[in-house]
Short mmCIF file of all heavy atoms in Angstrom, two decimals:
data_model
loop_
_atom_site.label_atom_id
_atom_site.label_comp_id
_atom_site.label_asym_id
_atom_site.label_seq_id
_atom_site.Cartn_x
_atom_site.Cartn_y
_atom_site.Cartn_z
N SER A 231 7.37 5.40 -44.95
CA SER A 231 7.71 4.30 -44.06
C SER A 231 8.74 4.77 -43.03
O SER A 231 9.67 5.50 -43.38
CB SER A 231 8.27 3.13 -44.87
OG SER A 231 7.34 2.71 -45.84
N LYS A 232 8.57 4.33 -41.75
CA LYS A 232 9.42 4.82 -40.68
C LYS A 232 9.94 3.69 -39.79
O LYS A 232 9.33 2.63 -39.69
CB LYS A 232 8.64 5.80 -39.79
CG LYS A 232 8.06 7.01 -40.50
CD LYS A 232 7.23 7.83 -39.51
CE LYS A 232 6.61 9.05 -40.18
NZ LYS A 232 5.79 9.83 -39.22
N GLY A 233 11.06 3.97 -39.15
CA GLY A 233 11.57 3.11 -38.09
C GLY A 233 12.30 1.87 -38.54
O GLY A 233 12.61 1.69 -39.72
N LEU A 234 12.57 1.00 -37.58
CA LEU A 234 13.37 -0.19 -37.83
C LEU A 234 12.77 -1.10 -38.89
O LEU A 234 13.48 -1.65 -39.73
CB LEU A 234 13.53 -0.98 -36.52
CG LEU A 234 14.43 -0.36 -35.45
CD1 LEU A 234 14.37 -1.18 -34.17
CD2 LEU A 234 15.87 -0.25 -35.95
N LEU A 235 11.45 -1.28 -38.87
CA LEU A 235 10.80 -2.16 -39.83
C LEU A 235 9.96 -1.39 -40.84
O LEU A 235 9.08 -1.97 -41.47
CB LEU A 235 9.95 -3.19 -39.08
CG LEU A 235 10.76 -4.34 -38.46
CD1 LEU A 235 9.90 -5.20 -37.54
CD2 LEU A 235 11.40 -5.20 -39.52
N GLN A 236 10.26 -0.08 -40.98
CA GLN A 236 9.66 0.74 -42.03
C GLN A 236 8.14 0.56 -42.12
O GLN A 236 7.58 0.05 -43.10
CB GLN A 236 10.31 0.43 -43.38
CG GLN A 236 11.77 0.86 -43.47
CD GLN A 236 11.91 2.39 -43.45
OE1 GLN A 236 11.72 3.05 -44.47
NE2 GLN A 236 12.25 2.94 -42.30
N VAL A 237 7.48 1.01 -41.07
CA VAL A 237 6.02 0.92 -40.99
C VAL A 237 5.42 2.28 -41.26
O VAL A 237 5.89 3.29 -40.73
CB VAL A 237 5.60 0.43 -39.57
CG1 VAL A 237 4.09 0.25 -39.51
CG2 VAL A 237 6.30 -0.86 -39.22
N ILE A 238 4.38 2.34 -42.11
CA ILE A 238 3.70 3.62 -42.36
C ILE A 238 2.75 3.89 -41.19
O ILE A 238 2.32 2.96 -40.50
CB ILE A 238 2.93 3.61 -43.70
CG1 ILE A 238 1.83 2.54 -43.69
CG2 ILE A 238 3.89 3.40 -44.87
CD1 ILE A 238 0.96 2.55 -44.95
N ASP A 239 2.43 5.17 -40.98
CA ASP A 239 1.63 5.55 -39.81
C ASP A 239 0.27 4.85 -39.74
O ASP A 239 -0.13 4.40 -38.65
CB ASP A 239 1.43 7.07 -39.79
CG ASP A 239 2.68 7.79 -39.32
OD1 ASP A 239 3.53 7.14 -38.67
OD2 ASP A 239 2.83 9.01 -39.60
N PRO A 240 -0.49 4.74 -40.83
CA PRO A 240 -1.79 4.05 -40.73
C PRO A 240 -1.65 2.60 -40.24
O PRO A 240 -2.46 2.13 -39.44
CB PRO A 240 -2.33 4.11 -42.16
CG PRO A 240 -1.69 5.32 -42.76
CD PRO A 240 -0.30 5.33 -42.19
N THR A 241 -0.64 1.91 -40.74
CA THR A 241 -0.43 0.52 -40.32
C THR A 241 0.02 0.47 -38.85
O THR A 241 -0.44 -0.38 -38.07
CB THR A 241 0.64 -0.16 -41.20
OG1 THR A 241 0.20 -0.15 -42.56
CG2 THR A 241 0.88 -1.60 -40.76
N PHE A 242 0.89 1.39 -38.47
CA PHE A 242 1.36 1.44 -37.09
C PHE A 242 0.19 1.66 -36.13
O PHE A 242 0.08 1.00 -35.10
CB PHE A 242 2.40 2.54 -36.92
CG PHE A 242 2.89 2.70 -35.51
CD1 PHE A 242 3.88 1.87 -35.00
CD2 PHE A 242 2.35 3.67 -34.66
CE1 PHE A 242 4.33 2.00 -33.69
CE2 PHE A 242 2.79 3.81 -33.36
CZ PHE A 242 3.78 2.97 -32.87
N GLN A 243 -0.69 2.58 -36.46
CA GLN A 243 -1.83 2.89 -35.60
C GLN A 243 -2.81 1.73 -35.53
O GLN A 243 -3.39 1.43 -34.48
CB GLN A 243 -2.52 4.15 -36.09
CG GLN A 243 -1.67 5.41 -35.95
CD GLN A 243 -2.21 6.58 -36.75
OE1 GLN A 243 -3.30 6.52 -37.33
NE2 GLN A 243 -1.44 7.67 -36.80
N ALA A 244 -3.01 1.04 -36.66
CA ALA A 244 -3.96 -0.07 -36.70
C ALA A 244 -3.46 -1.28 -35.92
O ALA A 244 -4.25 -2.02 -35.32
CB ALA A 244 -4.24 -0.48 -38.15
N TYR A 245 -2.14 -1.51 -35.91
CA TYR A 245 -1.57 -2.69 -35.27
C TYR A 245 -0.71 -2.37 -34.04
O TYR A 245 0.03 -3.22 -33.55
CB TYR A 245 -0.74 -3.48 -36.29
CG TYR A 245 -1.60 -4.13 -37.35
CD1 TYR A 245 -1.87 -3.47 -38.56
CD2 TYR A 245 -2.15 -5.39 -37.14
CE1 TYR A 245 -2.67 -4.06 -39.52
CE2 TYR A 245 -2.96 -5.99 -38.11
CZ TYR A 245 -3.22 -5.31 -39.30
OH TYR A 245 -4.01 -5.91 -40.25
N HIS A 246 -0.85 -1.15 -33.56
CA HIS A 246 -0.11 -0.75 -32.36
C HIS A 246 -0.46 -1.67 -31.19
O HIS A 246 -1.63 -2.01 -30.98
CB HIS A 246 -0.44 0.69 -32.01
CG HIS A 246 0.13 1.12 -30.69
ND1 HIS A 246 -0.63 1.16 -29.53
CD2 HIS A 246 1.38 1.52 -30.33
CE1 HIS A 246 0.13 1.57 -28.53
NE2 HIS A 246 1.35 1.79 -28.98
#
Side-chain angles (χ1 to χ4, degrees):
S231 302
K232 302 176 181 179
L234 290 174
L235 283 171
Q236 292 293 280
V237 184
I238 62 176
D239 283 340
T241 300
F242 177 82
Q243 294 166 6
Y245 290 92
H246 172 260

